[in-house]
Amino acid sequence: MSESQTPVPEYYLIGTHEFEHLLRTNYLLAQSMLLFQHLCSQSDRPMFLSARKVCEVLGIDNNQLEQCRKRRLIKARTFQQQFMYDAYDLLRLSEQLNLRKLQRKLSRLPRFTIR
């Protein structure tokens, strides 16, 4: 496709219930992010979680967390010979993982174009 041609828009066919669920979830996540950012900015001490707690919060295992760290999706700091993760970095990683999960789900939905 050359630059002068505009791409044909693709549409996803999704049920009303699923669409409402996606909108509600997106709204709640956005509000939670704003609240968490406010709490982090008001704290006089940085908030850190251990690798075990990060895995518990995100619902992933140690290997997945290590892969995220190696791909530099999250930074770790060493404290008393264990990795510690900033709560704000944890929030960003959570958002990235949820976005990827949503993109995988959307890629499996039937698509059609209108010409």
Side-chain angles (χ1 to χ4, degrees), residues 24-83:
R24 191 176 315 115
T25 301
N26 185 48
Y27 176 78
L28 290 174
L29 287 173
Q31 294 303 313
S32 299
M33 171 105 60
L34 287 173
L35 175 62
F36 192 74
Q37 285 175 332
H38 174 73
L39 291 174
C40 285
S41 69
Q42 298 300 312
S43 176
D44 59 345
R45 296 181 184 171
M47 296 184 281
F48 289 94
L49 285 89
S50 67
R52 185 178 60 80
K53 286 292 184 186
V54 168
C55 290
E56 186 179 312
V57 168
L58 294 179
I60 61 175
D61 60 32
N62 271 337
N63 293 331
Q64 290 172 301
L65 180 60
E66 185 177 336
Q67 289 301 317
C68 290
R69 189 171 38 81
K70 286 180 179 177
R71 288 185 287 158
R72 297 181 182 178
L73 298 176
I74 190 168
K75 292 184 272 182
R77 291 168 178 82
T78 307
F79 178 74
Q80 295 181 352
Q81 299 180 345
Q82 71 174 1
F83 286 128

Side-chain angles (χ1 to χ4, degrees), residues 11 15 51 99:
Y11 299 91
L99 180 61

Side-chain angles (χ1 to χ4, degrees), residues 59-112:
I60 61 175
D61 60 32
N62 271 337
N63 293 331
Q64 290 172 301
L65 180 60
E66 185 177 336
Q67 289 301 317
C68 290
R69 189 171 38 81
K70 286 180 179 177
R71 288 185 287 158
R72 297 181 182 178
L73 298 176
I74 190 168
K75 292 184 272 182
R77 291 168 178 82
T78 307
F79 178 74
Q80 295 181 352
Q81 299 180 345
Q82 71 174 1
F83 286 128
M84 299 296 286
Y85 298 87
D86 186 286
Y88 191 74
D89 290 343
L90 170 66
L91 183 65
R92 281 197 342 257
L93 177 61
S94 173
E95 186 177 26
Q96 289 175 341
L97 294 176
N98 284 325
L99 180 61
R100 286 183 183 168
K101 189 185 300 183
L102 179 61
Q103 288 171 336
R104 279 194 302 271
K105 286 181 181 181
L106 286 176
S107 70
R108 289 187 223 128
L109 290 175
R111 291 183 238 177
F112 62 94

